[in-house]
Amino acid sequence: MKKTILLALVVGLAGCSDAMPEPNAATCAPGAYEEALAEIRSKSHRLAFTEECKSFQRAENMRKWEFKPSSPDRY
């Protein structure tokens, strides 16, 4: 009996967690970003997720580069 009540309590509380999604390319994409923000209930978690997505986007932009060869007369 006690095990059944404990199991029901654990299962019931599992849905109450307000876990913040991991910021990555999928969750920080424009459509998924708003969807993820709507699911987060806590204001502090929303602000943290927003900042982490901004940080993720800046890091992604820093990784993008394009090779630009020097002009022949600059050797």
Side-chain angles (χ1 to χ4, degrees):
M1 179 72 178
K2 290 181 182 180
K3 290 181 183 180
T4 307
I5 294 172
L6 182 61
L7 180 62
L9 182 62
V10 169
V11 170
L13 290 177
C16 295
S17 67
D18 190 23
M20 186 174 66
E22 181 181 342
N24 55 32
T27 57
C28 291
Y33 175 74
E34 285 85 18
E35 211 173 280
L37 274 180
E39 291 177 5
I40 302 172
R41 293 184 200 132
S42 170
K43 184 177 180 178
S44 61
H45 285 309
R46 268 185 268 148
L47 291 173
F49 180 71
T50 301
E51 288 301 315
E52 288 183 23
C53 268
K54 286 179 185 177
S55 176
F56 177 79
Q57 294 295 341
R58 285 192 299 264
E60 285 293 308
N61 287 336
M62 288 174 62
R63 290 184 193 130
K64 294 178 185 175
W65 62 278
E66 185 176 314
F67 178 72
K68 296 177 185 175
S70 305
S71 60
D73 43 289
R74 291 184 136 186
Y75 290 127

